[in-house]
Amino acid sequence: MPVERRKRFTVFDYFNYTALILLCVSIIYPVVYLICLSLSTREGLAAGGTSATVLLWPQGFTPEAYTAFFKTTFIYTGYFYTICRTVIGTIAGVFLMALTAYALSKKIPLKKTFTFYFIFTMFFTGGLIPTFILIKSLGLLDNPLVYILAPPFLFNSFFILILRNFFMTIPESLDESAKMDGASDWKTFFYIIVPLSGPAIATISLWVAVAHWNSWFDSLIYVQSLDKQVIQVLIRKLVIEQSQMLMASTIGFANMDSVPTAESIKAAGILITMIPIVCVYPFIQKYFVKGVVMGAVKG
């Protein structure tokens, strides 16, 4: 049997591997730093002089930062609205965008005009003030429905064009065969187009879900009630504003050495908000390359 030749590494290979390793370290290290910081004790951080001394292991060990984080009552309402907007908003948004993309992928009157209209909105928008006036006129101020109905989550032109291009790769003979068998446009869409478009729909769904989960600006400007704001706004108060809620969360500890520092609580809060959406990614990662590449084949 022929002897397999060992691959000869070139200078580019070494440079490429080194760059990728450094990139992975730059991505993983901040997460490791937050974990170590959130589990460090007040005494351990004080002995080190600064939280920057937390490198790859905690300075002492205590889970009290997570306990203090979950003692704040607003956390649960924030999680409730964040999860609801992510689930409902993703389903509603992907459904409407898929329907629009399916229509644009077919031979319809004024197809190029409609396509231009969607492309135009990608570069020119009404701006913040007109959008705020529109939301106010619709009665959505301080209303949780604003998380789902406010632009651009429910209708994103870029995602529509990606889905349209993917639908255009599906042979039209499948639609014609379905119609010959008596299937309506709705049945053709749900029983033929959607199952064949799994990679594209999964990719767009993840993008929309991540956008909903990370969104905080719409909650900040459209919602005034603290009990209706999403978790990202509340974390922003912990991380940036250092509001009185952070101080109140440390009440109830008998031993002051066990009281977590402000930095530990903030690190725990950031980690807790990251975990749910990070856990979803591995299940949809395999659809990324196929969904995006096939969605960019046709113009």
Side-chain angles (χ1 to χ4, degrees):
M1 295 181 63
V3 179
E4 294 183 0
R5 294 184 178 180
R6 181 177 299 178
K7 180 182 177 181
R8 297 180 60 184
F9 286 90
T10 62
V11 176
F12 174 78
D13 292 328
Y14 287 109
F15 176 80
N16 192 25
Y17 287 130
T18 303
L20 290 176
I21 292 174
L22 293 177
L23 179 62
C24 292
V25 171
S26 66
I27 295 173
I28 297 175
Y29 176 73
V31 179
V32 175
Y33 177 84
L34 289 175
I35 295 175
C36 296
L37 181 59
S38 65
L39 295 175
S40 297
T41 62
R42 178 180 293 269
E43 182 181 358
L45 292 176
T50 174
S51 61
T53 58
V54 182
L55 298 177
L56 297 176
W57 52 85
Q59 303 296 305
F61 181 84
T62 176
E64 296 297 343
Y66 296 92
T67 303
F69 183 80
F70 282 109
K71 280 185 178 180
T72 54
T73 57
F74 59 84
I75 292 300
Y76 300 98
T77 58
Y79 263 119
F80 173 77
Y81 284 110
T82 300
I83 294 174
C84 287
R85 74 169 297 177
T86 301
V87 175
I88 300 175
T90 300
I91 295 174
V94 173
F95 175 71
L96 292 178
M97 287 186 286
L99 285 178
T100 305
Y102 179 63
L104 291 176
S105 66
K106 301 304 175 184
K107 296 179 180 179
I108 59 175
L110 302 176
K111 176 180 177 179
K112 292 185 178 180
T113 303
F114 285 118
T115 303
F116 172 78
Y117 168 76
F118 287 107
I119 296 176
F120 183 84
T121 59
M122 292 172 57
F123 300 98
F124 301 96
T125 60
L128 179 60
I129 296 178
T131 303
F132 182 86
I133 295 175
L134 175 63
I135 296 298
K136 183 178 180 180
S137 63
L138 294 175
L140 294 177
L141 287 182
D142 207 28
N143 189 335
L145 287 176
V146 73
Y147 297 140
I148 300 173
L149 301 179
F153 301 107
L154 194 63
F155 221 71
N156 189 294
S157 299
F158 177 68
F159 296 160
I160 291 174
L161 294 178
I162 291 180
L163 289 173
R164 185 207 66 158
N165 294 343
F166 192 96
F167 292 158
M168 291 174 65
T169 62
I170 300 176
E172 294 185 4
S173 58
L174 294 177
D175 287 2
E176 296 174 355
S177 300
K179 291 179 179 179
M180 290 179 62
D181 293 336
S184 62
D185 291 332
W186 287 100
K187 286 187 177 181
T188 302
F189 176 75
F190 284 108
Y191 291 101
I192 296 179
I193 302 301
V194 172
L196 293 176
S197 306
I201 293 178
T203 302
I204 298 301
S205 298
L206 182 60
W207 286 347
V208 176
V210 171
H212 271 292
W213 186 270
N214 292 331
S215 179
W216 59 271
F217 189 67
D218 52 356
S219 177
L220 187 65
I221 62 177
Y222 299 139
V223 179
Q224 289 78 37
S225 301
L226 184 63
D227 58 345
K228 296 180 182 178
Q229 290 181 338
V230 296
I231 190 66
Q232 301 301 339
V233 174
L234 303 175
I235 292 300
R236 179 179 179 272
K237 292 180 181 295
L238 294 177
V239 175
I240 298 178
E241 297 179 1
Q242 298 186 18
S243 62
Q244 294 181 352
M245 293 181 294
L246 180 62
M247 301 302 298
S249 63
T250 62
I251 298 176
F253 292 93
N255 184 7
M256 287 302 298
D257 291 335
S258 64
V259 177
T261 63
E263 291 78 9
S264 298
I265 297 177
K266 288 185 288 186
I270 295 173
L271 286 171
I272 292 174
T273 54
M274 287 172 50
I275 291 173
I277 200 66
V278 170
C279 292
V280 175
Y281 179 79
F283 298 99
I284 310 180
Q285 181 184 9
K286 60 181 180 180
Y287 296 112
F288 265 135
V289 176
K290 186 177 179 181
V292 175
V293 171
M294 292 189 67
V297 172
K298 293 187 178 181

